[in-house]
Amino acid sequence: MGTRRAVTILRMTAEGAQRRIRELAIADTWNIGLSSHAKERMPQREIFIQDLYEILRTGHCDDAPVRTEKGDWKCKMTKKIKGQRLAGAVTVIMGNQRLHVVTVEWEDEA
């Protein structure tokens, strides 16, 4: 009978998520999908597609991402835009190949 080996579950760091989100967002805008919720909230919150691209391409992931039920990684990218207001985009890295933006929001109370 063979020996059993422990399974190591890898964790993605905030830095790793930030790096991958930036890479995918810079490589091709077709890598970025939007939920219907994000599509509704963007005009309501006056965060437009070019703002979203800026958040994803140059923003920061401050907290470690969490694993979704499907095994993907979800985190919030933030960046100061539009006169230095802090905006956030909750983003899922799907299969390490695409991004799915769940929602966008203002992080400050302006």
Side-chain angles (χ1 to χ4, degrees):
M1 192 168 217
T3 59
R4 291 185 169 206
R5 294 184 184 189
V7 174
T8 302
I9 298 176
L10 301 177
R11 300 277 316 154
M12 182 177 278
T13 64
E15 295 81 17
Q18 176 180 293
R19 182 175 43 255
R20 189 62 182 146
I21 289 169
R22 287 179 176 182
E23 288 170 353
L24 289 168
I26 289 168
D28 194 337
T29 55
W30 289 104
N31 291 333
I32 304 166
L34 304 175
S35 71
S36 57
H37 179 77
K39 289 176 185 176
E40 290 174 15
R41 294 299 179 254
M42 287 174 68
Q44 290 173 353
R45 296 174 176 160
E46 296 184 356
I47 299 174
F48 302 107
I49 196 70
Q50 292 302 338
D51 300 322
L52 176 61
Y53 293 159
E54 183 179 348
I55 294 165
L56 297 176
R57 290 174 179 161
T58 62
H60 301 281
C61 178
D62 296 322
D63 298 320
V66 297
R67 199 80 189 230
T68 68
E69 290 179 9
K70 294 181 179 180
D72 298 316
W73 294 101
K74 179 172 72 171
C75 70
K76 185 187 296 183
M77 291 289 282
T78 60
K79 176 156 178 85
K80 288 187 178 181
I81 61 171
K82 296 191 180 199
Q84 301 305 307
R85 285 197 68 192
L86 187 62
V90 176
T91 306
V92 177
I93 304 168
M94 299 174 58
N96 209 30
Q97 300 298 316
R98 284 190 41 84
L99 303 175
H100 181 75
V101 178
V102 177
T103 194
V104 296
E105 56 199 17
W106 292 110
E107 300 297 314
D108 56 21
E109 292 292 325

